[in-house]
Amino acid sequence: MKNWIPAPVSRYGASFVGMTLFMLQGCVGGNKTAWEYMPDMANSPAIKSQKMVASLPHHRGMLMPPDGTVPRGYEPYPYKEDPEGAAKFLINPLPKTEEVVLAGEKAYNTYCIVCHGAKGLGDGPVVPPFPKPPSFHSEKVQNWTDGRIFHVITVGQNLMPSYAAQIEPQTRWAIIRYLRVLQLAQNPSPEDRDAYREMKEARKKKKDK
Ligand code: HEC
């Protein structure tokens, strides 16, 4: 009978039984808690992100990125002190499409509308008490290049903070495409008016069908 058991099993039989019992620990049914073997990793102490922790490098729960590292996809901004350089050399990489404008509208209504208002008149819901920002329909901003506006969103301007941390560069460019649409809407040419009227009529016809 002994010869019937394959050699490795008989040789390691004891450890097989041991391993099987060990693995079955996790299968204790019902409401009984399984025996935990070395539970250190499972029950690590939870540190609150804002809490002071003397043993950590920056003495707080929330870890800071190591010095000298940058986030994935980070692009340095070389025009921090040079708005004219930004105005001259930065070019909007996004096409003038409905998709881009709609993405810009969404981001504008998330980040900018509170101060600048739905039409860019500087009459957002936080104004006042927040000081009234200038309108986007001034001759100055109408004549600014997209790069110059990108500069304001990226580094801020006086009371307006930088939005570089919240808004990715691509989204900033999309916002600028939408800002241009706001400007056009406030200041349409006769051709724009005709095109708008035609579009509205075409839509109405489609609806009536
Ligand atoms: C917290 C309120 C606030 C928010 C949010 C805000 N801005 Fe501003 N913005 C201002 C104020 C105030 C100024 C005027 C700053 C100054 O005095 O130079 C300004 C100025 C500007 C200017 C320059 C206008 C000029 O005539 O000089 C542009 C362009 C601009 N903002 C775009 C944006 C865009 C785009 C967003 C959204 C990404 C945004 N702002 C979000 C408050 C805000």
Side-chain angles (χ1 to χ4, degrees), residues 107-108 111-116 126-127 130-136 138 140-141 144 148-149 152-153 157-161 163 167 172 175-176 179:
Y108 180 89
Y111 297 106
C112 321
I113 200 171
V114 286
C115 295
H116 287 278
V126 304
V127 181
F130 195 83
K132 188 174 163 66
S135 157
F136 291 148
S138 65
K140 177 179 104 179
V141 181
W144 268 1
R148 186 64 183 80
I149 300 176
V152 175
I153 308 174
Q157 180 178 298
N158 302 319
L159 276 177
M160 177 176 151
Y163 279 85
I167 310 176
R172 286 174 233 162
I175 289 175
I176 294 164
L179 206 154

Side-chain angles (χ1 to χ4, degrees), residues 34-113:
W35 179 62
E36 284 181 273
Y37 179 65
M38 293 204 287
D40 323 49
M41 300 276 277
N43 302 330
S44 53
I47 295 177
K48 289 234 158 91
S49 40
Q50 314 293 339
K51 211 172 153 187
M52 160 93 184
V53 185
S55 59
L56 288 175
H58 293 88
H59 307 309
R60 58 178 124 167
M62 187 159 45
L63 293 181
M64 304 302 283
D67 292 339
T69 56
V70 293
R72 186 184 281 249
Y74 170 82
E75 284 169 38
Y77 185 69
Y79 303 107
K80 218 165 189 164
E81 312 285 338
D82 182 16
E84 293 319 313
K88 212 163 146 193
F89 298 116
L90 291 180
I91 289 177
N92 198 329
L94 301 181
K96 291 183 190 173
T97 60
E98 189 174 346
E99 197 189 350
V100 167
V101 170
L102 290 178
E105 178 184 22
K106 190 164 172 233
Y108 180 89
N109 290 345
T110 304
Y111 297 106
C112 321
I113 200 171

